[in-house]
Amino acid sequence: MEVTQVHNVLLVIHVLSVILWLGTGMGATFIGPRLVREGGTVALAWLSVAEGMGPRLYGPASGLTLLSGIGLVLTSDAYGFGSFFVVLGMTVWVLIAIGNGAYAGPREKRALQAFEAGDEETGRETIRALNGFVTVELLLLVAVVIAMIYRWGA
């Protein structure tokens, strides 16, 4: 396979992984709080699903985004690792990975444990705080998508 074909395959993988990562994140951020407000078994079922989304969905999709992005840079003559949009994308990726590991993941687990223990108020408060973080994370991802579409600093 020639370099142009490899680049195009990587681009498709990159775009689809970003759609999966960003799209499910936006959907979960919209749906999740509404289900948590319902309380009881509805909230518990949602939080059980949401807690597993990190390692089963967001992690693989973000990892594939990073790896395909690196491949795109390696197969391109138009931009490199010093291009602003590439630096921005990799920086945001690292910040989100750290933030999810250190903050979001433990908060999701804490909310689930609170609902399992019958402490719905603590669970709701934890989710409210988490949603502020996730909203910032999603806005950063949208900014990166815009930077990449326009290839800022290529």
Side-chain angles (χ1 to χ4, degrees):
M1 196 180 302
E2 67 181 66
V3 174
T4 303
Q5 290 174 321
V6 170
H7 186 83
N8 288 339
V9 168
L10 288 168
L11 184 58
V12 168
I13 292 169
H14 193 67
V15 169
L16 291 176
S17 63
V18 169
I19 289 169
L20 182 62
W21 184 14
L22 186 57
T24 55
M26 287 184 164
T29 302
F30 179 76
I31 294 166
R34 286 155 179 78
L35 296 174
V36 168
R37 272 196 301 270
E38 290 296 317
T41 58
V42 172
L44 190 56
W46 167 253
L47 290 168
S48 295
V49 169
E51 184 195 19
M53 289 173 72
R56 292 184 188 98
L57 182 75
Y58 300 126
S62 69
L64 197 52
T65 299
L66 176 67
L67 293 175
S68 59
I70 290 169
L72 285 168
V73 173
L74 293 173
T75 59
S76 174
D77 293 330
Y79 47 85
F81 288 106
S83 299
F84 176 75
F85 75 96
V86 174
V87 172
L88 178 65
M90 294 179 91
T91 301
V92 168
W93 189 93
V94 168
L95 291 174
I96 288 173
I98 292 169
N100 282 330
Y103 182 81
R107 295 299 180 290
E108 282 182 345
K109 193 172 297 261
R110 183 179 304 153
L112 176 59
Q113 290 169 343
F115 271 92
E116 288 173 337
D119 186 2
E120 292 191 9
E121 188 53 38
T122 297
R124 283 188 188 97
E125 289 173 14
T126 303
I127 290 298
R128 273 192 291 275
L130 178 60
N131 281 340
F133 171 83
V134 172
T135 299
V136 170
E137 174 183 275
L138 293 172
L139 290 172
L140 286 171
L141 285 173
V142 168
V144 169
V145 168
I146 292 167
M148 291 193 174
I149 288 170
Y150 290 100
R151 293 186 182 172
W152 292 345

